Amino acid sequence: MKSFNLFISILVLTGLSVTSLFIGVSDVTLSSILSDAEMRYIFIVSRVPRTIALLLAGSALSVAGLIMQILTQNRFIEPSIAGTTQSAGLGLLLVMILAPATVSIFVKMIFASLFALLGTALFMLILRKIILKSALIVPIVGIMLGSVISAITVFLAMYFDLLQSLWAWIYGGDFSGILQGRYELLWLVGLLTLFSYWVADNFTVASMGREFAINVGLNHRKVMTMGLSVIALTTGIVIVVVGLLPFVGLIIPNLISLKMGDNIRKTIPYVCLSGAGLVLLCDMIGRVIIRPYEIPASSILGVIGAIIFLYLLIKQAGYAKH
């Protein structure tokens, strides 16, 4: 039954991917690709990279959110709520200030990922220092930390007259600028996703607590560092290439876990497929709703994600009463 569900999920995602290839301002069709060199160029240089970027970013962010929820033992957390995304933005801004025109996108990715790692580590350190009386305390702490980091970032951006550039780079969440030669870094997050599946059992054991992990012979600190590194690298790369994609790492792991439980090895394939499908669907909606103009995928995600997040909160509150 599970294999059948996985097959159906792959089939649906394949259908969405094919549909995505033929949606846009230019009327690209199969016949025009075969007969028109210009349409073939648009298809290869723009449509195919955009669809691949959507799949890679959606699946990777969903898995990063799943790992963060497992390691923090809290279902209401993801990189954009834990200060990780905001820290990546700060790192990117510092690169823009220090070397605005001479730094490659690869260097920007390194700085964004490094600051994302530092921000995530700070968040985990704060959680260890406070008493958690409610599951909602964790996202509240993350939102507060993210707000402080965002305030620092905005201040620096205004001081150096880079606010508009920062906003366009980080908070766009727009795939319209994805072209051949600009999305290839996202293949790295695909590799990180495969790596996460390979070490999934270690994350599952680590989520049961430090004492339990040590008792079964697992290096708890190493696994935590490994998990935080995957989260930071994924966030940094996606921020630099695409921008902010809210709620993906929050709602997808929650919805999948409601149906399949908390075994990461079993849920990662479904989390990947669902996350990729959600981002792909939101981008397609943004392309057709006010055609020929586009609404960034991040805006559609923000609306859908907020609704689902409220549903999850209400559902959690209902369980708490019973």
Side-chain angles (χ1 to χ4, degrees):
M1 185 63 181
K2 289 183 178 180
S3 300
F4 178 75
N5 290 336
L6 187 62
F7 173 75
I8 294 297
S9 300
I10 295 173
L11 196 62
V12 170
L13 185 61
T14 302
L16 289 173
S17 301
V18 173
T19 304
S20 173
L21 292 172
F22 296 95
I23 292 179
V25 177
S26 302
D27 292 323
V28 177
T29 62
L30 185 59
S31 59
S32 67
I33 294 173
L34 297 175
S35 60
D36 190 333
E38 183 179 349
M39 289 299 177
R40 190 158 54 247
Y41 178 80
I42 292 174
F43 184 79
I44 295 173
V45 173
S46 176
R47 297 292 175 83
V48 172
R50 179 171 185 158
T51 301
I52 294 174
L54 287 162
L55 296 173
L56 291 173
S59 59
L61 285 177
S62 299
V63 172
L66 174 64
I67 294 173
M68 178 167 277
Q69 290 171 16
I70 290 295
L71 296 183
T72 60
Q73 300 179 14
N74 190 285
R75 284 295 175 188
F76 298 116
I77 202 70
E78 68 144 0
S80 64
I81 300 179
T84 305
T85 300
Q86 294 81 0
S87 299
L90 178 58
L92 180 59
L93 175 65
L94 292 178
V95 175
M96 295 167 66
I97 293 172
L98 296 174
T102 59
V103 174
S104 67
I105 190 172
F106 184 75
V107 175
K108 291 178 180 177
M109 180 269 290
I110 292 176
F111 269 80
S113 300
L114 177 60
F115 274 77
L117 180 60
L118 294 174
T120 308
L122 177 60
F123 172 69
M124 299 294 288
L125 180 63
I126 293 173
L127 290 185
R128 292 178 60 182
K129 299 295 183 180
I130 62 177
I131 299 175
L132 303 177
K133 295 183 178 180
S134 169
L136 297 179
I137 295 296
V138 176
I140 290 173
V141 170
I143 291 171
M144 293 174 63
L145 176 62
S147 298
V148 172
I149 297 173
S150 292
I152 296 172
T153 304
V154 170
F155 172 78
L156 291 175
M158 292 181 66
Y159 183 83
F160 289 98
D161 196 23
L162 290 171
L163 186 59
Q164 187 173 358
S165 299
L166 180 71
W167 184 268
W169 195 295
I170 297 177
Y171 297 104
D174 186 8
F175 288 84
S176 61
I178 296 297
L179 299 171
Q180 191 177 67
R182 193 183 181 278
Y183 82 101
E184 282 77 7
L185 273 178
L186 287 175
W187 286 112
L188 293 176
V189 301
L191 293 177
L192 289 171
T193 302
L194 292 176
F195 175 75
S196 300
Y197 181 76
W198 182 47
V199 298
D201 292 335
N202 290 332
F203 292 140
T204 301
V205 174
S207 69
M208 298 179 184
R210 183 174 179 274
E211 290 77 12
F212 180 85
I214 293 175
N215 287 337
V216 298
L218 184 72
N219 189 328
H220 185 263
R221 176 173 293 183
K222 180 180 178 180
V223 174
M224 291 292 290
T225 302
M226 190 164 51
L228 295 181
S229 299
V230 169
I231 295 167
L233 283 170
T234 299
T235 303
I237 294 170
V238 174
I239 281 289
V240 168
V241 178
V242 178
L244 178 64
L245 296 174
F247 292 112
V248 181
L250 177 66
I251 60 177
I252 293 299
N254 273 281
L255 293 175
I256 297 299
S257 67
L258 287 175
K259 297 292 184 181
M260 301 188 63
D262 294 329
N263 189 311
I264 302 182
R265 183 169 294 281
K266 292 181 180 179
T267 58
I268 276 184
Y270 295 93
V271 169
C272 284
L273 294 171
S274 301
L278 177 62
V279 175
L280 194 59
L281 182 61
C282 289
D283 183 71
M284 290 165 59
I285 292 173
R287 275 185 268 175
V288 301
I289 197 169
I290 56 171
R291 189 176 178 181
Y293 305 103
E294 290 189 19
I295 298 175
S298 59
S299 300
I300 308 294
L301 275 170
V303 174
I304 296 176
I307 294 172
I308 298 177
F309 185 41
L310 288 174
Y311 164 76
L312 293 172
L313 287 175
I314 294 171
K315 193 176 184 67
Q316 178 74 13
Y319 284 150
K321 289 180 180 179
H322 292 88

